Amino acid sequence: MPQLLMKAEKLILGYPDTTVGFGMFRTQRMGRKLALKGVSLELRQGENLALIGSNGSGKSTLLRTLAGIYPPDAGTINTFGNSVQTLFNMGIGMKPELTGRQNIMLMSMIGGKTPAEIEEMIPKIVEFSELHAVIEDPVRTYSRGMAMRLSFAVATSLQPEILLIDEWIGAGDENFRKKAQKRLTDMISGSKGFILASHNTGIVQQYCTRSLWLDKGDVIAVGPTEDVIPDYIAKSRGQTIAPVRLPDTARKIDSKTSDAVPTEKLQPDPAVKDAPKPSPPPKPANPANRPVVVQRGVAKPKPQDP
Amino acid sequence: MSISSFFEGFKNVSLWWRLAWADMNQIYRRSLIGIFWISLSFVMFVGVKIFIFSAVMGDVDIRVYSLWVIIGYGVWQFITSSVTDACTVFINARSWILGTKLSYGTFVAQNITRHMIGLFLISLISLGAIFLYKYEQSWITLSIIPAIFVLMLNSVWVHIVFGIISTRFRDFMHLVRSIMHVMFFVTPILYMPSQIGPKAAILNYNPFTHYLAIIREPIVNGRISELSWTVVICITIAGWVAALALLKTKLRNVVFWI
């Protein structure tokens, strides 16, 4: 059996109540909410673990807990001395008034590198981000895409042993995206193992050997991806088919798409996303076998928002 | 989430120095004189005060009064910016706290560095004033070195205590801000205690009076105020006890409260 990289046991985590005041003088009520209810997991050398589950199932919370950002109420996390890096902090630390080079310095330091190490990394980062010409200019003069390329290049140049990823990232224009995909794949193969939280079952099947299915903080299933994902797809289709209203154009594209590779073009009607799910799904708008995919990030509630 | 992990952030000097410097860059971006706006706006404020108040107050020695205002207001600037920024230290670092593993001490060190840069730029002006007025200084003036260190120590506990409390109770920071506005007038900055007669005794119950005195007395009056040092040291110890208690019990909640 390959070496253990990370082991988490019986993690319990609840968001504390943040209500202030009482009676009519009360802030928005935020009752105590249990987000992880005894989650255990293991990550072994060479293994890629996916966290899957619907919005609010606790994927991001679990990832943040594993990263050491949220302290669990109970349970233990052991990383056996392996360095852990998160890929959900892209762009944090980007200061618009500093130059590209100064930003590389700052963002890499936040990632835990020393100035000497960063000096060595800088040429490679500049080359990868294709920003030679403007690297001494303030980042505020960059286009959105350029700024994204910069933060992506920095984030993926740190070489951790364990990588935690919240949703697969795409950065920049079509050309750069291909490069980015390759870089991400390289980074993953450079790490000993990674954990990816994602809605995208296609990505999960492509990259992850094992999957852990979360629902409201409970582990529903954990095992090889090819065993877990079919059940998950079946379950989630049953749940989300009704409330998502699809635009007509998307419907046409979608009916051609196979089950396993969901498109990400579809966007739920924002007015509908919070509506309670009707228990027997009303059929008319939806022929039975269509995969419904919510564009990632769009309908995702952030449980940590007060 | 232990106390030592909090202070871990203070060790990464090159990081918090850069962060503080980047903040300064951001505030004074694209201006010609940049951070020297701190000095300039200080000179403008103090200049006008001295001009007006010295006329109103009549029999006061202009040299003494000027230095009194310059040193007093300079230290006050540090205190008030420390106290009000302390309240938002964790709230403003929200995305950093949720997205990175940085020790929370980093943000406190970053804030205090910013205030220290401000204090430094203001003290350049004070130094200029001392030379300009040919104000005689004795060895006693050196006592401001430990005094500035004590001010920094206080700034740290204030950041911890106020930072944690206002993260949970957002009303706290508004309360603090309002109180600091009032305190400006209840603290002898623009006037000297001798000018308000018998009411001056009340000033001794204002802790800020003593925080100013440990720096201003040696420079302006060439003496060390024992009472002021005693008060300041007592508050510093009490503040640190509160800070350590909050770090131990409440720091882990900050990430959920922000």
Side-chain angles (χ1 to χ4, degrees):
Chain A
M1 202 130 186
Q3 195 193 344
L4 261 180
L5 292 179
M6 182 186 249
K7 188 179 170 76
E9 275 182 299
K10 301 199 177 83
L11 293 178
I12 295 176
L13 185 136
Y15 291 107
D17 187 358
T18 54
T19 314
V20 175
F22 51 87
M24 61 183 293
F25 298 104
R26 185 166 56 186
T27 61
Q28 195 181 2
R29 200 187 313 201
M30 295 282 170
R32 188 178 155 78
K33 189 185 140 211
L34 213 52
L36 299 178
K37 305 168 184 166
V39 176
S40 301
L41 63 84
E42 281 182 4
L43 182 70
R44 289 179 182 278
Q45 177 112 32
E47 225 175 48
N48 305 324
L49 177 69
L51 306 179
I52 51 174
S54 54
N55 295 323
S57 58
K59 298 188 300 290
S60 299
T61 307
L62 178 55
L63 222 47
R64 285 205 170 108
T65 311
L66 295 174
I69 292 167
Y70 284 153
D73 292 306
T76 55
I77 299 165
N78 193 343
T79 56
F80 305 99
N82 292 301
S83 64
V84 180
Q85 187 67 50
T86 57
L87 252 195
F88 39 86
N89 54 358
M90 272 206 348
I92 288 182
M94 185 89 97
K95 302 273 179 180
E97 289 305 318
L98 298 184
T99 67
R101 183 183 297 279
Q102 289 167 326
N103 267 298
I104 294 176
M105 192 56 128
L106 199 56
M107 289 191 288
S108 312
M109 284 176 85
I110 293 160
K113 297 282 174 191
T114 64
E117 288 172 323
I118 300 165
E119 286 298 340
E120 272 177 39
M121 290 159 51
I122 285 181
K124 284 184 226 152
I125 295 175
V126 175
E127 197 202 316
F128 181 79
S129 58
E130 300 167 8
L131 295 169
H132 313 267
V134 291
I135 201 68
E136 306 297 346
D137 293 349
V139 165
R140 78 182 142 77
T141 63
Y142 289 17
S143 71
R144 228 178 131 81
M146 284 154 84
M148 242 160 97
R149 262 147 58 190
L150 184 68
S151 49
F152 181 86
V154 173
T156 52
S157 64
L158 312 164
Q159 291 152 339
E161 284 151 324
I162 303 170
L163 192 58
L164 305 177
I165 311 169
D166 198 354
E167 286 300 349
W168 201 253
I169 342 146
D173 54 27
E174 201 51 52
N175 262 339
F176 188 78
R177 196 167 304 153
K178 281 185 196 134
K179 220 171 130 183
Q181 287 302 322
K182 186 175 178 311
R183 170 85 162 223
L184 212 49
T185 323
D186 288 350
M187 188 186 182
I188 280 165
S189 49
S191 68
K192 289 183 182 172
F194 73 89
I195 301 179
L196 164 73
S198 182
H199 283 113
N200 190 328
T201 48
I203 293 278
V204 167
Q205 283 171 322
Q206 192 179 344
Y207 292 102
C208 298
T209 51
R210 278 158 49 84
S211 295
L212 186 145
W213 175 5
L214 276 176
D215 187 50
K216 298 192 183 78
D218 280 318
V219 179
I220 302 290
V222 57
T225 297
E226 60 265 30
D227 297 347
V228 178
I229 290 289
D231 288 353
Y232 171 70
I233 291 176
K235 177 87 185 301
S236 58
R237 186 175 303 145
Q239 273 182 348
T240 57
I241 197 153
V244 181
R245 199 186 292 149
L246 302 171
D248 284 340
T249 48
R251 220 171 271 168
K252 279 177 213 144
I253 300 165
D254 199 58
S255 56
K256 292 176 204 155
T257 318
S258 81
D259 283 4
V261 192
T263 56
E264 290 183 23
K265 297 280 192 286
L266 313 179
Q267 198 156 348
D269 184 339
V272 183
K273 78 178 181 202
D274 291 330
K277 292 166 187 166
S279 36
K283 284 257 164 143
N286 261 324
N289 279 332
R290 174 149 25 77
V292 174
V293 176
V294 176
Q295 190 184 43
R296 64 170 114 97
V298 171
K300 194 171 161 189
K302 291 201 175 154
Q304 73 278 7
D305 275 340
Chain B
M1 203 55 71
S2 60
I3 291 181
S4 65
S5 80
F6 177 84
F7 290 105
E8 202 62 33
F10 284 80
K11 289 186 196 157
N12 197 347
V13 181
S14 51
L15 179 59
W16 51 251
W17 175 254
R18 254 165 234 274
L19 288 172
W21 199 246
D23 285 345
M24 286 304 207
N25 245 309
Q26 190 68 31
I27 297 167
Y28 298 99
R29 61 180 172 272
R30 300 166 75 183
S31 64
L32 192 62
I33 62 170
I35 56 170
F36 288 99
W37 268 111
I38 297 176
S39 310
L40 189 61
S41 81
F42 179 76
V43 168
M44 285 161 70
F45 182 89
V46 171
V48 170
K49 290 292 165 191
I50 293 171
F51 180 72
I52 294 176
F53 277 71
S54 60
V56 174
M57 286 172 178
D59 57 344
V60 178
D61 182 350
I62 179 83
R63 289 166 68 234
V64 177
Y65 179 71
S66 300
L67 216 57
W68 178 271
V69 172
I70 290 171
I71 308 289
Y73 188 63
V75 176
W76 176 256
Q77 280 282 4
F78 176 82
I79 293 174
T80 188
S81 61
S82 272
V83 171
T84 48
D85 279 10
C87 296
T88 52
V89 62
F90 299 127
I91 298 170
N92 286 349
R94 185 173 192 278
S95 64
W96 298 67
I97 288 176
L98 287 174
T100 68
K101 293 176 292 174
L102 287 182
S103 153
Y104 297 0
T106 314
F107 314 117
V108 172
Q110 172 191 358
N111 257 15
I112 293 174
T113 309
R114 216 170 48 227
H115 302 140
M116 288 305 290
I117 294 174
L119 185 64
F120 172 74
L121 290 165
I122 286 173
S123 54
L124 290 181
I125 303 298
S126 316
L127 215 62
I130 291 171
F131 279 111
L132 203 71
Y133 288 124
K134 300 196 176 66
Y135 212 93
E136 234 171 76
Q137 295 297 317
S138 66
W139 288 108
I140 289 173
T141 307
L142 289 180
S143 74
I144 67 164
I145 294 170
I148 289 174
F149 180 70
V150 167
L151 274 188
M152 271 170 64
L153 274 185
N154 276 279
S155 189
V156 178
W157 78 251
V158 167
H159 272 81
I160 296 168
V161 173
F162 286 23
I164 294 178
I165 295 177
S166 8
T167 312
R168 176 68 182 87
F169 303 102
R170 299 299 166 105
D171 297 80
F172 188 77
M173 61 182 181
H174 300 291
L175 178 70
V176 167
R177 218 164 276 170
S178 312
I179 289 177
M180 291 309 283
H181 276 302
V182 177
M183 289 315 279
F184 178 67
F185 297 103
V186 198
T187 308
I189 299 167
L190 299 180
Y191 54 89
M192 297 166 116
S194 57
Q195 292 167 317
I196 58 168
K199 285 181 190 156
I202 299 171
L203 296 175
N204 277 338
Y205 294 100
N206 172 1
F208 294 114
T209 306
H210 302 291
Y211 278 91
L212 295 190
I214 60 171
I215 291 186
R216 192 171 50 190
E217 281 303 310
I219 298 176
V220 178
N221 293 331
R223 69 181 193 95
I224 290 174
S225 163
E226 281 163 25
L227 171 68
S228 294
W229 269 100
T230 314
V231 172
V232 166
I233 288 171
C234 288
I235 295 178
T236 309
I237 292 170
W240 269 97
V241 170
L244 292 176
L246 274 179
L247 281 183
K248 199 171 161 65
T249 56
K250 298 295 177 211
L251 186 68
R252 67 177 302 280
N253 286 339
V254 167
V255 67
F256 301 111
W257 289 340
I258 49 174

